[in-house]
Amino acid sequence: MKLKTFLPILAAAAALPGMVLAQDAAPVAGIDASTDSIFILNSLLFLVGGFLVFWMAAGFAMLEAGLVRSKNVTMQLTKNVALFSLAAIFYYLIGYNLMYPLGNWMMGTDETGGYLGAFGPAILEAVGISREAADDYGYASTGSDFFFQLMFCATTASIVSGTLAERIKLWPFLIFTIVLVAIIYPIQASWKWGGGFLDSQYGFLDFAGSTVVHSVGGWAALAGAILLGPRIGKYKDGRVHPYPGSNLALATLGTFILWLGWFGFNGGSQLAMGTVGDVADVSRIFANTNTAAAGGAIAALILTQIMYGKVDLTMVLNGALAGLVSITAEPLTPSLGGATLIGAVGGVIVVFAVPMLDKLKIDDVVGAIPVHLCAGIWGTLAVLLTNDDATFMGQLIPIIIVGVFVFSVSFVLWFILKATMGIRVDAEAEINGLDVHELGIEAYPEFHKG
């Protein structure tokens, strides 16, 4: 038999079992395919979004490694690995249930607004559960939700690391990180995302965390920077002396990694992917997130050219990040043009906020306070521009409440650490570099002058 004659017969034979199944297979009792699909796809969104946000940890590490001087690179890399690992453990032990008490508030209720969640470790579903045994069959698996939320918690700690670089001791920083990820971040996050009082009483809108994540990291960093003081020689003789970073290629790589991770950060915060509308919204969030970053970068690029006569790459990188922070509070409702403008304002804010901090002699090594705190406040207020459910006081008052809480608690904690064990290395260690004095390992030993 010729091949061209045989192929149609073979195709028909191959299709026959499928036709028989399609016609003869009876529905299996008890299966709701649509609900199964929602559970599976929502869980998948959390897992994919979660590992994209995890990749932001690499972005922060590379950004900080590029923006600090060569003698402090190993310290920044160590801090970023350690803080993420501590977040993974302490968010599991304390933070997750404190942030999501599921009605078991120690202070307040879901109806009146909770203030303090429940203490206890996170517990996942049993191995191989059935749909009947799933904790929330109509939503997503507990494991995927925990994994996704953990990444946001770790991101908050990463923000603090860069601001305090080049002069802070390792262990006091790690102790602060433990309290931040286990207590400070989960408590304030529960007020919005856990069904607490900012959500129920104020109608506060913060889609993916311009305030809940980014400004929280900024407030904690600001408190630490004030008590820690500037680097030696940074503000000398009434002038600002810039300290160029060790590797702008690494800083640029870190920015692009963070840009990529932000698609999981904002897209995953849709919290649903089981319907056509949800998937369309996720894709809209991706597009808006991307164009906001572009708007921030271009705004910083043009503005630095106008102000300084030359483009400043570090400002452009932080402009892109500020654009991302700015759109995070509401990445769904803006148009592409609106998202671009919201991000562009974030880029402008960075260009003006960096020298403002220098005038105040607040030394922020990587510009995290302008990016995450200042642009985070702007992004939270910018929700008013595109979301009709937002109110001015409903956005402003929660910004103030979260700011006062996080800054106050962080300041007290930094003060205690400073008074008890000291938070700053001595002058000799700072001058010679933390890599040698704190860790004994240099990132670039071949360039050592000793």
Side-chain angles (χ1 to χ4, degrees):
M1 183 179 294
K2 294 182 178 180
L3 181 60
K4 64 180 181 180
T5 306
F6 177 73
L7 286 176
I9 298 174
L10 182 61
L16 184 60
M19 291 187 290
V20 171
L21 286 174
Q23 292 181 10
D24 294 347
V28 179
I31 289 183
D32 183 347
S34 63
T35 309
D36 270 7
S37 298
I38 290 172
F39 183 88
I40 292 167
L41 291 172
N42 287 358
S43 299
L44 180 63
L45 176 67
F46 289 161
L47 294 174
V48 173
F51 71 64
L52 280 171
V53 181
F54 164 77
W55 191 228
M56 292 174 71
F60 279 112
M62 293 301 97
L63 179 69
E64 293 172 23
L67 292 181
V68 300
R69 289 169 289 180
S70 300
K71 60 186 179 180
N72 297 308
V73 171
T74 302
M75 172 62 91
Q76 290 310 110
L77 299 176
T78 302
K79 284 161 60 181
N80 275 275
V81 173
L83 71 86
F84 184 88
S85 302
L86 289 170
I89 293 171
F90 283 92
Y91 189 69
Y92 142 64
L93 290 175
I94 302 173
Y96 184 63
N97 279 335
L98 199 58
M99 182 170 166
Y100 291 107
L102 299 177
N104 298 317
W105 295 93
M106 295 181 63
M107 292 177 59
T109 65
D110 284 339
E111 291 74 22
T112 61
Y115 297 90
L116 183 63
F119 284 92
I123 300 175
L124 306 182
E125 293 111 336
V127 176
I129 60 165
S130 63
R131 65 176 61 86
E132 291 80 14
D135 290 338
D136 198 341
Y137 175 53
Y139 179 50
S141 67
T142 300
S144 66
D145 182 60
F146 167 79
F147 180 74
F148 184 64
Q149 297 301 333
L150 163 63
M151 300 306 148
F152 283 63
C153 180
T155 297
T156 306
S158 297
I159 294 167
V160 183
S161 172
T163 294
L164 309 179
E166 301 202 317
R167 73 267 199 210
I168 193 167
K169 293 180 180 179
L170 176 63
W171 288 104
F173 170 78
L174 296 182
I175 291 172
F176 179 85
T177 296
I178 291 172
V179 179
L180 177 65
V181 300
I183 304 294
I184 299 173
Y185 169 80
I187 286 178
Q188 62 82 34
S190 74
W191 297 343
K192 166 55 188 171
W193 291 342
F197 77 99
L198 294 184
D199 185 56
S200 60
Q201 295 182 24
Y202 293 96
F204 180 44
L205 299 180
D206 191 4
F207 192 94
S210 287
T211 286
V212 172
V213 176
H214 294 282
S215 75
V216 167
W219 286 118
L222 177 62
I226 291 172
L227 281 172
L228 189 62
R231 289 167 289 176
I232 295 174
K234 176 68 176 177
Y235 307 114
K236 186 179 180 181
D237 301 326
R239 297 176 55 197
V240 178
H241 297 269
Y243 292 147
S246 63
N247 192 326
L248 291 184
L250 277 184
T252 304
L253 173 63
T255 300
F256 275 117
I257 292 174
L258 289 167
W259 194 327
L260 171 65
W262 233 287
F263 296 127
F265 201 97
N266 286 355
S269 294
Q270 175 70 12
L271 305 183
M273 199 173 70
T275 68
V276 170
D278 285 326
V279 173
D281 284 351
V282 170
S283 63
R284 183 183 176 96
I285 290 167
F286 272 43
N288 280 340
T289 298
N290 186 68
T291 196
I298 295 300
L301 184 146
I302 295 173
L303 194 54
T304 53
Q305 177 68 55
I306 294 172
M307 293 176 63
Y308 307 121
K310 294 180 181 179
V311 172
D312 185 333
L313 174 60
T314 61
M315 287 288 196
V316 174
L317 299 180
N318 276 333
L321 297 177
L324 290 163
V325 171
S326 299
I327 201 63
T328 293
E330 183 49 89
L332 176 60
T333 56
S335 64
L336 282 171
T340 306
L341 292 175
I342 289 170
V345 173
V348 172
I349 287 172
V350 162
V351 174
F352 285 105
V354 169
M356 180 191 72
L357 286 179
D358 283 333
K359 288 182 179 179
L360 297 172
K361 295 185 178 181
I362 297 174
D363 189 8
D364 181 352
V365 177
V366 303
I369 294 170
V371 168
H372 297 278
L373 175 54
C374 300
I377 292 172
W378 152 245
T380 307
L381 293 174
V383 177
L384 295 161
L385 301 177
T386 62
N387 192 323
D388 293 336
D389 293 331
T391 64
F392 179 73
M393 298 307 294
Q395 296 300 103
L396 180 61
I397 293 176
I399 289 173
I400 296 171
I401 291 173
V402 169
V404 170
F405 169 74
V406 175
F407 181 82
S408 300
V409 175
S410 297
F411 192 90
V412 169
L413 179 56
W414 283 124
F415 183 83
I416 292 172
L417 290 171
K418 182 177 182 179
T420 54
M421 60 191 303
I423 59 177
R424 183 165 183 152
V425 299
D426 59 37
E428 181 183 1
E430 184 176 341
I431 292 169
N432 292 329
L434 276 61
D435 290 359
V436 172
H437 279 264
E438 286 276 289
L439 303 174
I441 303 175
E442 295 177 275
Y444 307 107
E446 64 272 26
F447 297 114
H448 190 263
K449 297 180 181 179

